[in-house]
Amino acid sequence: MIPRHGPSEERLLAYAAGVLSPPQAVVVATHLALRPAADAWVRRLQAVGGQFLEETAPVALSSDALTRALARVETDAGEVKRPALLNDMPELPEPLRRYALGPWRWIGPGMRVRDVHAPRDGDCRVILLRIDPGRETPRHTHRGDELTCVLTGAYATETDRFEVGDLEEADGEVLHRPRVVSDQPCLCVAALDGQIQLDGWLGRLMQPFVRL
Ligand code: ZN
């Protein structure tokens, strides 16, 4: 069986508690939309957390909690109100349909990127990456966390293979060179903190041209 890749439990707990940074939450929400079993687990966690809050101190809930509660009420009433869909990519999972998208930009042979206009957190923002079959990104590491979820196709690193719905967590300690191994282009959504750091002398030469 192919191992499934997902967020760490710490990150899922932070997401369930509503304290994950907004760009990372967008990528985790996308992963959960593609992995119903993990989504059910997070919802159970949120329900238990909500009950725990009710039974302990009467604290003020965030406005997000109210929105989520209202959404649940609407779902229960059979009238699901979906947020307005704001972009030109109907193939995207629902959590990504609510954000406007910037223009596609060329960043290398067979590689394009476009901004997802989701809330930022400092330098951390959400992007879509589209890489053609057989292409690989330059070998790189990261200034901060990089969270990547596969939307179409598949890519492999030196040690792992990531399929649709898989989520890869990378940070400054991970040096990798993802290569697309599917017959179709690999479309990913990523929350990226700062610019990636290209490795080697060629990478350092290319660095000014690879702006994600
Ligand atoms: Zn990376």
Side-chain angles (χ1 to χ4, degrees), residues 142-156:
H142 318 86
R143 277 235 175 92
D145 284 342
E146 178 190 73
L147 245 57
T148 308
C149 180
V150 181
L151 305 175
T152 67
Y155 71 84

mmCIF file with all atom_site columns, all heavy atoms in Angstrom, residues 142-156:
data_model
loop_
_atom_site.group_PDB
_atom_site.id
_atom_site.type_symbol
_atom_site.label_atom_id
_atom_site.label_alt_id
_atom_site.label_comp_id
_atom_site.label_asym_id
_atom_site.label_entity_id
_atom_site.label_seq_id
_atom_site.pdbx_PDB_ins_code
_atom_site.Cartn_x
_atom_site.Cartn_y
_atom_site.Cartn_z
_atom_site.occupancy
_atom_site.B_iso_or_equiv
_atom_site.pdbx_formal_charge
_atom_site.auth_seq_id
_atom_site.auth_comp_id
_atom_site.auth_asym_id
_atom_site.auth_atom_id
_atom_site.pdbx_PDB_model_num
ATOM 1   N N   . HIS A 1 142 ? 14.342 25.864 2.601   1.00 0.00 ? 142 HIS A N   1
ATOM 2   C CA  . HIS A 1 142 ? 13.291 26.849 2.866   1.00 0.00 ? 142 HIS A CA  1
ATOM 3   C C   . HIS A 1 142 ? 13.673 27.765 4.008   1.00 0.00 ? 142 HIS A C   1
ATOM 4   O O   . HIS A 1 142 ? 14.370 27.347 4.932   1.00 0.00 ? 142 HIS A O   1
ATOM 5   C CB  . HIS A 1 142 ? 11.991 26.117 3.206   1.00 0.00 ? 142 HIS A CB  1
ATOM 6   C CG  . HIS A 1 142 ? 11.748 24.931 2.327   1.00 0.00 ? 142 HIS A CG  1
ATOM 7   N ND1 . HIS A 1 142 ? 12.280 23.700 2.606   1.00 0.00 ? 142 HIS A ND1 1
ATOM 8   C CD2 . HIS A 1 142 ? 11.105 24.804 1.160   1.00 0.00 ? 142 HIS A CD2 1
ATOM 9   C CE1 . HIS A 1 142 ? 11.968 22.852 1.637   1.00 0.00 ? 142 HIS A CE1 1
ATOM 10  N NE2 . HIS A 1 142 ? 11.254 23.494 0.738   1.00 0.00 ? 142 HIS A NE2 1
ATOM 11  N N   . ARG A 1 143 ? 13.201 29.000 3.958   1.00 0.00 ? 143 ARG A N   1
ATOM 12  C CA  . ARG A 1 143 ? 13.429 29.938 5.076   1.00 0.00 ? 143 ARG A CA  1
ATOM 13  C C   . ARG A 1 143 ? 12.541 29.575 6.244   1.00 0.00 ? 143 ARG A C   1
ATOM 14  O O   . ARG A 1 143 ? 12.937 29.643 7.389   1.00 0.00 ? 143 ARG A O   1
ATOM 15  C CB  . ARG A 1 143 ? 13.093 31.358 4.610   1.00 0.00 ? 143 ARG A CB  1
ATOM 16  C CG  . ARG A 1 143 ? 14.235 32.018 3.875   1.00 0.00 ? 143 ARG A CG  1
ATOM 17  C CD  . ARG A 1 143 ? 14.574 33.363 4.542   1.00 0.00 ? 143 ARG A CD  1
ATOM 18  N NE  . ARG A 1 143 ? 15.748 33.962 3.908   1.00 0.00 ? 143 ARG A NE  1
ATOM 19  C CZ  . ARG A 1 143 ? 15.678 34.809 2.898   1.00 0.00 ? 143 ARG A CZ  1
ATOM 20  N NH1 . ARG A 1 143 ? 14.508 35.179 2.416   1.00 0.00 ? 143 ARG A NH1 1
ATOM 21  N NH2 . ARG A 1 143 ? 16.775 35.300 2.371   1.00 0.00 ? 143 ARG A NH2 1
ATOM 22  N N   . GLY A 1 144 ? 11.295 29.214 5.951   1.00 0.00 ? 144 GLY A N   1
ATOM 23  C CA  . GLY A 1 144 ? 10.350 28.832 7.001   1.00 0.00 ? 144 GLY A CA  1
ATOM 24  C C   . GLY A 1 144 ? 9.663  27.543 6.589   1.00 0.00 ? 144 GLY A C   1
ATOM 25  O O   . GLY A 1 144 ? 10.244 26.742 5.861   1.00 0.00 ? 144 GLY A O   1
ATOM 26  N N   . ASP A 1 145 ? 8.430  27.354 7.061   1.00 0.00 ? 145 ASP A N   1
ATOM 27  C CA  . ASP A 1 145 ? 7.690  26.144 6.701   1.00 0.00 ? 145 ASP A CA  1
ATOM 28  C C   . ASP A 1 145 ? 7.169  26.238 5.269   1.00 0.00 ? 145 ASP A C   1
ATOM 29  O O   . ASP A 1 145 ? 6.792  27.312 4.805   1.00 0.00 ? 145 ASP A O   1
ATOM 30  C CB  . ASP A 1 145 ? 6.480  25.976 7.635   1.00 0.00 ? 145 ASP A CB  1
ATOM 31  C CG  . ASP A 1 145 ? 6.913  25.482 9.004   1.00 0.00 ? 145 ASP A CG  1
ATOM 32  O OD1 . ASP A 1 145 ? 8.035  24.953 9.111   1.00 0.00 ? 145 ASP A OD1 1
ATOM 33  O OD2 . ASP A 1 145 ? 6.131  25.630 9.954   1.00 0.00 ? 145 ASP A OD2 1
ATOM 34  N N   . GLU A 1 146 ? 7.139  25.092 4.619   1.00 0.00 ? 146 GLU A N   1
ATOM 35  C CA  . GLU A 1 146 ? 6.508  24.983 3.297   1.00 0.00 ? 146 GLU A CA  1
ATOM 36  C C   . GLU A 1 146 ? 5.523  23.818 3.381   1.00 0.00 ? 146 GLU A C   1
ATOM 37  O O   . GLU A 1 146 ? 5.909  22.693 3.658   1.00 0.00 ? 146 GLU A O   1
ATOM 38  C CB  . GLU A 1 146 ? 7.571  24.702 2.231   1.00 0.00 ? 146 GLU A CB  1
ATOM 39  C CG  . GLU A 1 146 ? 7.006  24.515 0.832   1.00 0.00 ? 146 GLU A CG  1
ATOM 40  C CD  . GLU A 1 146 ? 8.076  23.995 -0.139  1.00 0.00 ? 146 GLU A CD  1
ATOM 41  O OE1 . GLU A 1 146 ? 8.439  22.800 -0.046  1.00 0.00 ? 146 GLU A OE1 1
ATOM 42  O OE2 . GLU A 1 146 ? 8.548  24.775 -0.960  1.00 0.00 ? 146 GLU A OE2 1
ATOM 43  N N   . LEU A 1 147 ? 4.256  24.118 3.164   1.00 0.00 ? 147 LEU A N   1
ATOM 44  C CA  . LEU A 1 147 ? 3.203  23.096 3.192   1.00 0.00 ? 147 LEU A CA  1
ATOM 45  C C   . LEU A 1 147 ? 2.665  22.954 1.783   1.00 0.00 ? 147 LEU A C   1
ATOM 46  O O   . LEU A 1 147 ? 2.196  23.938 1.196   1.00 0.00 ? 147 LEU A O   1
ATOM 47  C CB  . LEU A 1 147 ? 2.057  23.572 4.095   1.00 0.00 ? 147 LEU A CB  1
ATOM 48  C CG  . LEU A 1 147 ? 1.762  22.799 5.368   1.00 0.00 ? 147 LEU A CG  1
ATOM 49  C CD1 . LEU A 1 147 ? 2.994  22.750 6.242   1.00 0.00 ? 147 LEU A CD1 1
ATOM 50  C CD2 . LEU A 1 147 ? 0.611  23.440 6.113   1.00 0.00 ? 147 LEU A CD2 1
ATOM 51  N N   . THR A 1 148 ? 2.716  21.743 1.228   1.00 0.00 ? 148 THR A N   1
ATOM 52  C CA  . THR A 1 148 ? 2.294  21.550 -0.153  1.00 0.00 ? 148 THR A CA  1
ATOM 53  C C   . THR A 1 148 ? 1.259  20.442 -0.230  1.00 0.00 ? 148 THR A C   1
ATOM 54  O O   . THR A 1 148 ? 1.470  19.363 0.328   1.00 0.00 ? 148 THR A O   1
ATOM 55  C CB  . THR A 1 148 ? 3.504  21.157 -1.035  1.00 0.00 ? 148 THR A CB  1
ATOM 56  O OG1 . THR A 1 148 ? 4.546  22.114 -0.830  1.00 0.00 ? 148 THR A OG1 1
ATOM 57  C CG2 . THR A 1 148 ? 3.129  21.121 -2.497  1.00 0.00 ? 148 THR A CG2 1
ATOM 58  N N   . CYS A 1 149 ? 0.148  20.691 -0.922  1.00 0.00 ? 149 CYS A N   1
ATOM 59  C CA  . CYS A 1 149 ? -0.877 19.662 -1.128  1.00 0.00 ? 149 CYS A CA  1
ATOM 60  C C   . CYS A 1 149 ? -1.052 19.443 -2.631  1.00 0.00 ? 149 CYS A C   1
ATOM 61  O O   . CYS A 1 149 ? -1.193 20.407 -3.384  1.00 0.00 ? 149 CYS A O   1
ATOM 62  C CB  . CYS A 1 149 ? -2.194 20.095 -0.482  1.00 0.00 ? 149 CYS A CB  1
ATOM 63  S SG  . CYS A 1 149 ? -3.520 18.893 -0.680  1.00 0.00 ? 149 CYS A SG  1
ATOM 64  N N   . VAL A 1 150 ? -1.053 18.183 -3.048  1.00 0.00 ? 150 VAL A N   1
ATOM 65  C CA  . VAL A 1 150 ? -1.167 17.845 -4.471  1.00 0.00 ? 150 VAL A CA  1
ATOM 66  C C   . VAL A 1 150 ? -2.635 17.870 -4.901  1.00 0.00 ? 150 VAL A C   1
ATOM 67  O O   . VAL A 1 150 ? -3.488 17.253 -4.252  1.00 0.00 ? 150 VAL A O   1
ATOM 68  C CB  . VAL A 1 150 ? -0.569 16.446 -4.750  1.00 0.00 ? 150 VAL A CB  1
ATOM 69  C CG1 . VAL A 1 150 ? -0.671 16.111 -6.232  1.00 0.00 ? 150 VAL A CG1 1
ATOM 70  C CG2 . VAL A 1 150 ? 0.877  16.372 -4.284  1.00 0.00 ? 150 VAL A CG2 1
ATOM 71  N N   . LEU A 1 151 ? -2.926 18.583 -5.999  1.00 0.00 ? 151 LEU A N   1
ATOM 72  C CA  . LEU A 1 151 ? -4.301 18.686 -6.502  1.00 0.00 ? 151 LEU A CA  1
ATOM 73  C C   . LEU A 1 151 ? -4.520 17.817 -7.740  1.00 0.00 ? 151 LEU A C   1
ATOM 74  O O   . LEU A 1 151 ? -5.599 17.254 -7.934  1.00 0.00 ? 151 LEU A O   1
ATOM 75  C CB  . LEU A 1 151 ? -4.627 20.148 -6.830  1.00 0.00 ? 151 LEU A CB  1
ATOM 76  C CG  . LEU A 1 151 ? -4.407 21.144 -5.690  1.00 0.00 ? 151 LEU A CG  1
ATOM 77  C CD1 . LEU A 1 151 ? -4.652 22.561 -6.162  1.00 0.00 ? 151 LEU A CD1 1
ATOM 78  C CD2 . LEU A 1 151 ? -5.305 20.803 -4.512  1.00 0.00 ? 151 LEU A CD2 1
ATOM 79  N N   . THR A 1 152 ? -3.522 17.747 -8.610  1.00 0.00 ? 152 THR A N   1
ATOM 80  C CA  . THR A 1 152 ? -3.569 16.811 -9.747  1.00 0.00 ? 152 THR A CA  1
ATOM 81  C C   . THR A 1 152 ? -2.166 16.267 -9.948  1.00 0.00 ? 152 THR A C   1
ATOM 82  O O   . THR A 1 152 ? -1.176 16.903 -9.589  1.00 0.00 ? 152 THR A O   1
ATOM 83  C CB  . THR A 1 152 ? -4.017 17.484 -11.068 1.00 0.00 ? 152 THR A CB  1
ATOM 84  O OG1 . THR A 1 152 ? -3.008 18.422 -11.475 1.00 0.00 ? 152 THR A OG1 1
ATOM 85  C CG2 . THR A 1 152 ? -5.348 18.200 -10.941 1.00 0.00 ? 152 THR A CG2 1
ATOM 86  N N   . GLY A 1 153 ? -2.082 15.073 -10.552 1.00 0.00 ? 153 GLY A N   1
ATOM 87  C CA  . GLY A 1 153 ? -0.781 14.488 -10.847 1.00 0.00 ? 153 GLY A CA  1
ATOM 88  C C   . GLY A 1 153 ? -0.079 13.997 -9.590  1.00 0.00 ? 153 GLY A C   1
ATOM 89  O O   . GLY A 1 153 ? -0.711 13.746 -8.557  1.00 0.00 ? 153 GLY A O   1
ATOM 90  N N   . ALA A 1 154 ? 1.228  13.871 -9.684  1.00 0.00 ? 154 ALA A N   1
ATOM 91  C CA  . ALA A 1 154 ? 2.016  13.363 -8.552  1.00 0.00 ? 154 ALA A CA  1
ATOM 92  C C   . ALA A 1 154 ? 3.459  13.825 -8.710  1.00 0.00 ? 154 ALA A C   1
ATOM 93  O O   . ALA A 1 154 ? 3.923  14.071 -9.821  1.00 0.00 ? 154 ALA A O   1
ATOM 94  C CB  . ALA A 1 154 ? 1.968  11.833 -8.515  1.00 0.00 ? 154 ALA A CB  1
ATOM 95  N N   . TYR A 1 155 ? 4.149  13.962 -7.569  1.00 0.00 ? 155 TYR A N   1
ATOM 96  C CA  . TYR A 1 155 ? 5.583  14.244 -7.631  1.00 0.00 ? 155 TYR A CA  1
ATOM 97  C C   . TYR A 1 155 ? 6.321  13.368 -6.627  1.00 0.00 ? 155 TYR A C   1
ATOM 98  O O   . TYR A 1 155 ? 5.724  12.809 -5.700  1.00 0.00 ? 155 TYR A O   1
ATOM 99  C CB  . TYR A 1 155 ? 5.881  15.734 -7.402  1.00 0.00 ? 155 TYR A CB  1
ATOM 100 C CG  . TYR A 1 155 ? 5.671  16.261 -5.999  1.00 0.00 ? 155 TYR A CG  1
ATOM 101 C CD1 . TYR A 1 155 ? 6.659  16.134 -5.020  1.00 0.00 ? 155 TYR A CD1 1
ATOM 102 C CD2 . TYR A 1 155 ? 4.494  16.918 -5.657  1.00 0.00 ? 155 TYR A CD2 1
ATOM 103 C CE1 . TYR A 1 155 ? 6.477  16.640 -3.731  1.00 0.00 ? 155 TYR A CE1 1
ATOM 104 C CE2 . TYR A 1 155 ? 4.300  17.416 -4.373  1.00 0.00 ? 155 TYR A CE2 1
ATOM 105 C CZ  . TYR A 1 155 ? 5.294  17.272 -3.415  1.00 0.00 ? 155 TYR A CZ  1
ATOM 106 O OH  . TYR A 1 155 ? 5.109  17.766 -2.149  1.00 0.00 ? 155 TYR A OH  1
ATOM 107 N N   . ALA A 1 156 ? 7.613  13.251 -6.863  1.00 0.00 ? 156 ALA A N   1
ATOM 108 C CA  . ALA A 1 156 ? 8.441  12.443 -5.964  1.00 0.00 ? 156 ALA A CA  1
ATOM 109 C C   . ALA A 1 156 ? 9.631  13.279 -5.535  1.00 0.00 ? 156 ALA A C   1
ATOM 110 O O   . ALA A 1 156 ? 10.129 14.135 -6.266  1.00 0.00 ? 156 ALA A O   1
ATOM 111 C CB  . ALA A 1 156 ? 8.912  11.177 -6.676  1.00 0.00 ? 156 ALA A CB  1
#
